[in-house]
Amino acid sequence: MTSIRDVLGDSLAVGERFELRLEERDDRLVADHPNEASPMDIAVVDGLNRLEERPPADPVAVEILGRTVDDRIAGRVIDPDGP
């Protein structure tokens, strides 16, 4: 049986990595979620010390975390130069 948690987890792509373009919104680095079915954007909150500029000019590799921040799914920078 599929639970609502499974469906939501699939649409949010928790644990997956994406190359994302970040922008500053509400004093946070945020990216649009690459999955159109996702109900949340991504707030990049971890790994920010890896970035040379804020927001970075080029897309960076971000991993989706299993928690929320400011009504967004949290993410962390895993490679500032992309995947």
Side-chain angles (χ1 to χ4, degrees), residues 8-78:
L8 187 59
D10 288 344
S11 70
L12 293 175
V14 172
E16 295 199 32
R17 298 172 180 194
F18 299 97
E19 186 173 345
L20 302 172
R21 185 166 299 279
L22 306 179
E23 61 183 55
E24 192 131 10
R25 293 186 218 157
D26 304 324
D27 295 323
R28 288 214 182 269
L29 288 181
V30 177
D32 293 332
H33 201 293
N35 182 353
E36 291 182 16
S38 173
M40 296 183 202
D41 288 334
I42 301 165
V44 179
V45 295
D46 291 338
L48 297 173
N49 59 328
R50 295 175 169 222
L51 300 175
E52 291 182 19
E53 46 185 330
R54 188 175 171 155
D58 297 316
V60 298
V62 173
E63 180 179 17
I64 308 298
L65 305 175
R67 67 180 198 267
T68 59
V69 175
D70 296 336
D71 296 324
R72 297 178 176 112
I73 190 74
R76 73 173 164 195
V77 174
I78 54 174

